[in-house]
Amino acid sequence: MKYDFDELVERRGTGCVKWDECPSEDVIPLWVADMDFKAAPAIQEAIRKRAEHGVFGYTYVEEDYYEAVISWFQRRHNWTIRREEILYTTGVVPAMSVAVKALTMPGEKVLILSPDYNCFFSSVRNNGCEVLETVLVEVKSEEVKSEKCHFEVDWDDFEAKCADEKTTVFLLCNPHNPTGRVWTKEELERMNTICLKYGVKVVSDEIHCELVMPGYRFQPFAAVSEACRQNSVILNSPSKSFNIAGLQTANIICSQLEWRRRLDRAININEVCDLNPFGPVALKAAYNESEDWIDELNQYLWGNYQALCDFASEHLPEWKVCRLEGTYLPWVDISATGMTSQQYADLILEKAKVWVNPGTMYGPQSGEGYIRLNIACPRSRLMEALERIYKEKL
């Protein structure tokens, strides 16, 4: 491989949430969605050059920023984005809050597929709306031992929730965090058909769109059909895929002029309208010069996932690792341990000094019996964490 994803980078002492929030220095953090890999060399070089200028005033976003976004999604995902459809902001979570504020009224309901990224819950509630959950159905393949469980939409329940007259927005995670699903074109089209039937707008968080495992293909929601394009607001960023979340750059993409006007207003109301000097520089280096890096990254993550599955199969029989189609966040069924998600996560932290997320972070009911792991780290570090759990007989 051209890039060294096995390099152990010391992150403690850098103001790093993932590492410096650890309760002790002997903890291996496999929790927050943050990779332990250095950014692509082109990104590092672009930031270095910008830093050498020495002046870091207010940032003007130039046309080549928009060109980089448009070119990337056209060539990589066959999605044609128009320049006027792009609104920039400081991150996908702020963008999510902006979208809820712009497209709902307080007291209305926002539908999500549960379990779901924990910030979905807070972004909805912080804007005075109610979270409405349709619980994903775990499909198990006991008769085919090589096939792992995965999750599907309960379409009857999804439609019933959309039919609620107070439901005005469907907040989608595509690819899905934490179950690792990469939704198919057919599934996305069915979601939109039901949403249109009941006048529900779609907001699709596509921050993990480049993190797709071999054999799967990411489908942008807005590129499914013209109907999907017209009924959606897309949130994306290179931050998760290229490990540059701290540079705080994201885009809201919307073809509806009136919705876009409201989104722009909400960006300013929430005061998330200014980027720092390094964000646009990093985005352009990611989208213009780092495509081979992301391709190698996905191959490495797939190797980590296979190593996790093999180790769990041999040494952790009470773990059922779900199918990982996208993201670097395997969802693991630990219900056979007889413990709650929180109890098991606490025990792993206390005994094995490994920090994972309890499934209940992503839905108090739907996430019970699961944990979420972050495997975006050098393989040696992942295996050390798994060995610790095995040795403690957890």
Side-chain angles (χ1 to χ4, degrees):
M1 296 180 79
K2 180 179 178 182
Y3 302 104
D4 184 9
F5 296 106
D6 287 317
E7 181 184 359
L8 293 169
V9 180
E10 179 55 68
R11 301 187 66 191
R12 286 190 178 92
T14 63
C16 169
V17 168
K18 183 177 182 180
W19 285 86
D20 288 331
E21 281 193 14
C22 287
S24 61
E25 290 194 357
D26 55 349
V27 169
I28 297 177
L30 301 181
W31 64 296
V32 67
D34 176 330
M35 297 193 285
D36 284 335
F37 309 123
K38 288 183 178 179
I43 297 174
Q44 294 182 54
E45 179 63 14
I47 291 173
R48 183 189 63 77
K49 286 182 178 179
R50 179 63 185 86
E52 286 178 350
H53 182 264
V55 180
F56 312 115
Y58 295 117
T59 299
Y60 173 67
V61 177
E62 299 179 289
E63 282 304 310
D64 57 355
Y65 173 97
Y66 300 98
E67 292 166 2
V69 173
I70 291 167
S71 174
W72 177 267
F73 285 100
Q74 180 64 63
R75 71 177 186 271
R76 193 162 176 95
H77 301 296
N78 198 29
W79 176 22
T80 302
I81 301 171
R82 294 187 288 270
R83 160 68 178 82
E84 65 271 15
E85 295 177 338
I86 304 172
L87 299 169
Y88 60 78
T89 186
T90 57
V92 164
V93 172
M96 191 186 312
S97 186
V98 160
V100 174
K101 183 184 290 294
L103 302 179
T104 67
M105 295 291 289
E108 293 180 344
K109 296 179 181 179
V110 176
L111 178 62
I112 67 170
L113 301 177
S114 184
D116 222 332
Y117 176 42
N118 51 297
C119 285
F120 277 31
F121 294 87
S122 56
S123 290
V124 171
R125 290 167 180 157
N126 288 346
N127 284 283
C129 292
E130 179 183 340
V131 176
L132 187 62
E133 300 175 59
T134 184
V135 177
L136 293 169
V137 178
E138 183 178 352
V139 179
K140 300 185 178 182
S141 303
E142 297 294 342
E143 71 282 1
V144 184
K145 295 300 182 182
S146 61
E147 182 65 24
K148 305 212 167 24
C149 64
H150 71 286
F151 291 79
E152 295 181 358
V153 177
D154 180 337
W155 294 107
D156 290 339
D157 188 66
F158 181 84
E159 181 159 4
K161 298 289 172 60
C162 285
D164 186 325
E165 62 181 10
K166 292 184 71 178
T167 303
T168 54
V169 165
F170 166 45
L171 186 52
L172 170 66
C173 197
N174 175 38
H176 191 260
N177 172 17
T179 68
R181 275 301 315 274
V182 174
W183 304 112
T184 65
K185 182 177 181 179
E186 292 72 25
E187 288 172 313
L188 297 173
E189 192 159 36
R190 188 171 181 181
M191 291 173 190
N192 193 57
T193 298
I194 294 170
C195 286
L196 281 173
K197 181 178 178 180
Y198 298 102
V200 176
K201 303 175 182 69
V202 179
V203 176
S204 184
D205 169 4
E206 301 185 352
I207 195 171
H208 292 276
C209 67
E210 307 308 335
L211 299 163
V212 177
M213 298 299 99
Y216 299 93
R217 182 177 181 274
F218 166 70
Q219 172 63 57
F221 187 92
V224 171
S225 66
E226 184 59 25
C228 287
R229 183 189 191 110
Q230 292 296 322
N231 193 45
S232 64
V233 173
I234 310 301
L235 318 176
N236 64 35
S237 170
S239 62
K240 202 68 68 178
S241 303
F242 291 93
N243 206 28
I244 52 174
L247 300 182
Q248 299 183 318
T249 301
N251 295 297
I252 302 173
I253 300 170
C254 177
S255 64
Q256 288 272 18
L257 179 60
E258 175 55 24
W259 293 6
R260 203 160 63 240
R261 184 191 66 79
R262 289 155 61 182
L263 289 161
D264 189 47
R265 179 63 180 149
I267 287 172
N268 284 274
I269 290 171
N270 285 9
E271 297 181 336
V272 288
C273 50
D274 293 315
L275 302 185
N276 69 71
F278 299 101
V281 167
L283 178 143
K284 288 182 285 187
Y287 286 163
N288 293 338
E289 303 177 68
S290 305
E291 193 161 1
D292 60 341
W293 185 90
I294 198 73
D295 290 337
E296 282 199 16
L297 170 69
N298 282 330
Q299 289 294 327
Y300 191 87
L301 293 174
W302 178 245
N304 276 3
Y305 173 68
Q306 291 177 307
L308 165 66
C309 292
D310 291 344
F311 189 92
S313 178
E314 183 175 355
H315 300 297
L316 300 168
E318 293 178 323
W319 284 26
K320 293 182 180 178
V321 182
C322 299
R323 183 197 302 171
L324 186 70
E325 300 175 0
T327 82
Y328 49 71
L329 304 164
W331 191 235
V332 181
D333 183 338
I334 51 87
S335 56
T337 66
M339 287 181 267
T340 69
S341 295
Q342 189 65 60
Q343 287 171 340
Y344 192 62
D346 288 346
L347 190 64
I348 289 175
L349 181 58
E350 178 189 354
K351 299 292 187 182
K353 303 300 182 183
V354 176
W355 191 353
V356 302
N357 291 124
T360 44
M361 279 188 65
Y362 312 100
Q365 283 78 46
S366 59
E368 186 57 85
Y370 298 88
I371 57 172
R372 193 193 77 168
L373 304 178
N374 177 350
I375 61 169
C377 61
R379 194 160 300 148
S380 61
R381 181 169 288 154
L382 173 64
M383 299 315 294
E384 180 185 349
L386 295 174
E387 287 283 356
R388 288 187 185 188
I389 294 169
Y390 167 61
K391 287 178 180 177
E392 291 295 334
K393 303 187 185 303
L394 301 175

